[in-house]
Amino acid sequence: MMADPLLRQYSVILIDEAHERTLQTDMLLGLLKKVQRRRRDLRLIVSSATLDAEQLYRFFNRNDTADRAKDTAAVLAVEGRAYPVEVFYLEGGWSLVEFG
């Protein structure tokens, strides 16, 4: 971002594991929001298993009207799957985990 503050060589940026909140991640999201003000074509994908999606939606959505058709952000949910896990303990305190 120091060499190209508007990130012109990118059309999409993916931020993964955004729930692992750090100062760097929060600063990055704030800077990307500023970049999007100047680059309406830049798409951001922010993924997280546990982050408050509604809060992030409100942060990035630039629509100030009640018309949801003019929203500039969206929330997509992908349902996860739970798989059975069995834990077997071995002598000596070691454990073996088997995913079913």
Side-chain angles (χ1 to χ4, degrees):
M1 288 187 85
M2 290 176 65
D4 181 15
L6 294 180
L7 304 168
R8 289 182 187 96
Q9 68 183 20
Y10 302 102
S11 58
V12 178
I13 296 177
L14 169 70
I15 309 297
D16 193 17
E17 303 293 340
H19 60 272
E20 294 181 9
R21 301 283 305 272
T22 64
L23 178 61
Q24 292 85 356
T25 303
D26 288 353
M27 286 179 61
L28 176 63
L29 292 174
L31 289 169
L32 290 172
K33 181 178 179 174
K34 289 181 94 169
V35 170
Q36 272 197 316
R37 287 186 195 140
R38 305 261 317 267
R39 287 212 37 219
R40 303 283 178 159
D41 63 314
L42 179 64
R43 300 294 179 241
L44 300 179
I45 301 170
V46 181
S47 69
S48 171
T50 58
L51 194 67
D52 183 351
E54 186 65 28
Q55 184 180 24
L56 206 58
Y57 163 81
R58 287 192 308 271
F59 180 73
F60 280 107
N61 188 21
R62 294 184 307 269
N63 180 13
D64 293 329
T65 71
D67 184 359
R68 299 282 297 218
K70 295 180 180 178
D71 283 357
T72 60
V75 174
L76 303 174
V78 178
E79 293 295 323
R81 295 187 194 136
Y83 293 97
V85 175
E86 292 185 53
V87 179
F88 300 95
Y89 293 94
L90 304 175
E91 291 182 28
W94 292 91
S95 64
L96 173 67
V97 177
E98 180 178 301
F99 298 95

